[in-house]
């Protein structure tokens, strides 16, 4: 496999792990009373909550490691704009799993990001 293909696989995994971890973290934090968010509140949570927190932390670390691996194979000027297209994935996941209302303005802005990213894809 070419370095470019491997780099893009790592980049895709980075986007996937980063996006899922952000939505999962938001879902987990929605379970807390945000007015009393503190370390003592985290100590009061059940084991399931803490297990999810550790899993989400592991996904964030995995996303970062895949990002670092992708940078060993891809130019940053190529990889970073594509990484910014994770806005589309986060918007989709937050609407689907969190029930968040995503406005037309958000979809248009996200569309511009994706369109700009498409301009970076090399043509053969």
């Amino acid at each position: 496999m070419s370095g470019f293909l491997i780099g893009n696989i790592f980049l895709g995994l980075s986007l996937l792990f980063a996006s899922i971890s952000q939505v999962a973290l938001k879902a987990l934090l929605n379970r807390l009373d945000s007015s009393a968010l503190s370390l003592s509140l985290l100590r009061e949570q059940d084991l399931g909550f803490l297990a999810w927190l550790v899993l989400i932390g592991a996904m964030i670390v995995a996303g970062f490691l895949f990002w670092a691996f992708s940078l060993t194979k891809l130019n940053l000027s190529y990889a970073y704009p594509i990484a910014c297209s994770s806005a589309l994935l986060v918007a989709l996941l937050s609407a689907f799993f969190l029930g968040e209302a995503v406005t037309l303005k958000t979809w248009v802005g996200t569309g511009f990001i994706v369109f700009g990213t498409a301009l970076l894809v090399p043509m053969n």
Side-chain angles (χ1 to χ4, degrees), residues 15-120:
L15 295 175
L16 188 64
F17 275 92
S19 298
I20 291 172
S21 66
Q22 294 304 310
V23 173
L25 181 61
K26 170 69 172 154
L28 192 65
L29 292 176
N30 282 346
R31 291 177 44 188
L32 298 177
D33 178 11
S34 61
S35 64
L37 189 58
S38 68
L39 288 178
S40 63
L41 180 65
L42 290 177
R43 279 183 251 145
E44 297 169 7
Q45 297 303 313
D46 62 20
L47 222 52
F49 179 90
L50 296 176
W52 273 105
L53 196 58
V54 169
L55 179 63
I56 291 167
M59 286 192 302
I60 291 170
V61 170
F64 174 78
L65 290 174
F66 281 123
W67 170 249
F69 294 149
S70 73
L71 292 181
T72 66
K73 305 290 184 189
L74 302 171
N75 290 332
L76 182 61
S77 60
Y78 168 82
Y80 194 78
I82 292 175
C84 291
S85 70
S86 67
L88 174 64
L89 188 54
V90 170
L92 286 169
L93 292 173
S94 64
F96 186 73
F97 289 108
L98 301 176
E100 294 185 356
V102 183
T103 65
L104 179 61
K105 185 177 176 182
T106 301
W107 286 124
V108 170
T110 303
F112 281 130
I113 292 169
V114 173
F115 177 73
T117 301
L119 293 176
L120 297 172

